[in-house]
Amino acid sequence: MRTPSSLLADRWHPSAETVRRAALAALVMSVVIVVTGGAVRLTASGLGCTTWPRCTGESLTPTPELGLHGVIEFTNRMLTYVLCGAIAWATLAARCAATWRRGLTRLGWAQFWLVMSNAVIGGITVLTHLNPYVVALHMVAAMALVWVSVLMWERSKEGDGAPRPLVAGPILRLAKVLVLVVGLLVLAGTLVTGAGHHPGSSGTMDEPVRRITLDYDRLAQAHADLAFVAVGLTIAVIFVFAAVKAPPAARARVRDLMAVLLLQGLLGFVQYFTDAPELMVGVHMLGAALTWIAALRIPLALCTRADGESAAAAPVPAPQTASV
């Protein structure tokens, strides 16, 4: 049965470079939506629109009575459509390429459904008057979207064959442990924000915005401890990759992660001792997304994929091991 995408594929055959650019655009927009979502919180505009999916009970768009907060919240909602447009471009480019990139198409659809589910979670945050745990889940879902966007972008540079490791199994598992630690670090950051200085709205006299009831200082200390663990493990991975002569791309990506972690650590300490100024927290949220991307790209550099039809005939690279 003919579908609109198959009809488009008969007429449009984007190059591999176009597919890569489209996947990168989707990734960039996934980071933008994280930053603008943070701007909604930091400007206390989380309840700028009083309900969902409408902005008010009677209006789809913000009314003058809602002021600047309504405009900020509604703009963030509208950027979801821009994000969906970038994802649609990437998905259609993968579908219409001269050789149909089925794996990339599935990753594009996964991004779309993550956006839809996170839109619902965002609506629930409004309907629950910024319940801090729902807000944290909203951020986690946004980071899941970044994860899938990174996968699509990296896979757009490769073939569609089965992944073939370039290093021994324990080295690949070590890289995945590093990703897990960075993921826990980001998760802890959402809890610190949920207990911290920026609830997302001033609420009302009758119903102030709820906060995570755990002690803020202890959460911040746990977050800092995880940061030290992440930095220490990254240093260890740098030396291990050098010892086993890991692919140059993987070694470069570990160094990138180290640089981002150090900058994030500096920002985190400064904002803690300066009562978390809004601009600095916003930069820290951008840094969290970039840290997550840097970590995710490391294990992806330890495998390669040939074209699907030639994968069976391609030689398997011998994993690099350290000499004794």
Side-chain angles (χ1 to χ4, degrees):
M1 184 176 66
R2 305 292 284 173
T3 63
S5 60
S6 64
L7 292 173
L8 180 62
D10 292 338
R11 295 164 174 79
W12 180 44
H13 302 291
S15 65
E17 181 63 24
T18 298
V19 175
R20 286 192 291 271
R21 288 177 179 176
L24 178 58
L27 173 58
V28 169
M29 277 306 306
S30 72
V31 175
V32 168
I33 210 71
V34 169
V35 175
T36 58
V40 171
R41 172 191 282 272
L42 296 172
T43 58
S45 302
L47 295 177
C49 286
T50 57
T51 188
W52 183 88
R54 292 173 174 267
C55 191
T56 69
E58 297 77 27
S59 175
L60 182 64
T61 59
T63 60
E65 293 76 17
L66 297 176
L68 181 60
H69 292 314
V71 172
I72 293 173
E73 164 64 4
F74 187 74
T75 299
N76 185 58
R77 292 186 184 188
M78 291 300 99
L79 279 174
T80 301
Y81 294 100
V82 180
L83 172 61
C84 287
I87 292 171
W89 179 34
T91 305
L92 287 173
R95 171 64 181 87
C96 297
T99 301
W100 181 359
R101 302 295 305 273
R102 296 176 184 270
L104 294 186
T105 304
R106 286 192 289 269
L107 288 172
W109 277 107
Q111 290 180 69
F112 172 77
W113 289 116
L114 278 170
V115 172
M116 292 300 100
S117 62
N118 209 17
V120 174
I121 296 172
I124 295 173
T125 65
V126 175
L127 297 177
T128 58
H129 298 281
L130 305 186
N131 180 295
Y133 298 102
V134 181
V135 175
L137 179 61
H138 195 37
M139 177 66 171
V140 170
M143 287 301 188
L145 174 63
V146 172
W147 185 355
V148 180
S149 300
V150 169
L151 285 176
M152 186 175 188
W153 179 47
E154 291 291 337
R155 288 285 304 278
S156 69
K157 308 172 190 176
E158 304 173 329
D160 288 323
R164 296 167 179 263
L166 300 174
V167 294
I171 306 301
L172 185 56
R173 287 192 288 273
L174 176 62
K176 292 179 179 179
V177 169
L178 179 58
V179 172
L180 175 62
V181 171
V182 172
L184 292 174
L185 175 63
V186 173
L187 180 61
T190 67
L191 297 178
V192 173
T193 303
H197 304 286
H198 304 288
S201 174
S202 57
T204 65
M205 292 293 292
D206 297 329
E207 189 176 5
V209 175
R210 290 175 54 194
R211 311 299 292 133
I212 291 176
T213 55
L214 299 176
D215 182 74
Y216 172 75
D217 290 330
R218 290 187 178 182
L219 282 175
Q221 183 61 57
H223 184 50
D225 292 342
L226 277 170
F228 286 123
V229 172
V231 170
L233 185 57
T234 302
I235 293 173
V237 170
I238 289 174
F239 283 104
V240 170
F241 278 18
V244 302
K245 296 180 174 61
R251 283 181 274 174
R253 292 179 185 187
V254 178
R255 292 193 295 269
D256 291 342
L257 175 61
M258 187 68 192
V260 176
L261 280 172
L262 291 177
L263 287 173
Q264 277 289 89
L266 177 62
L267 278 172
F269 276 111
V270 172
Q271 75 179 38
Y272 179 80
F273 290 108
T274 56
D275 291 328
E278 288 82 357
L279 179 60
M280 190 164 291
V281 175
V283 174
H284 197 58
M285 291 186 68
L286 171 61
L290 296 179
T291 302
W292 183 226
I293 291 171
L296 289 170
R297 296 183 70 218
I298 294 170
L300 296 176
L302 299 176
C303 296
T304 187
R305 292 174 185 265
D307 292 334
E309 61 272 12
S310 61
V316 179
Q320 300 289 335
T321 57
S323 57
V324 180

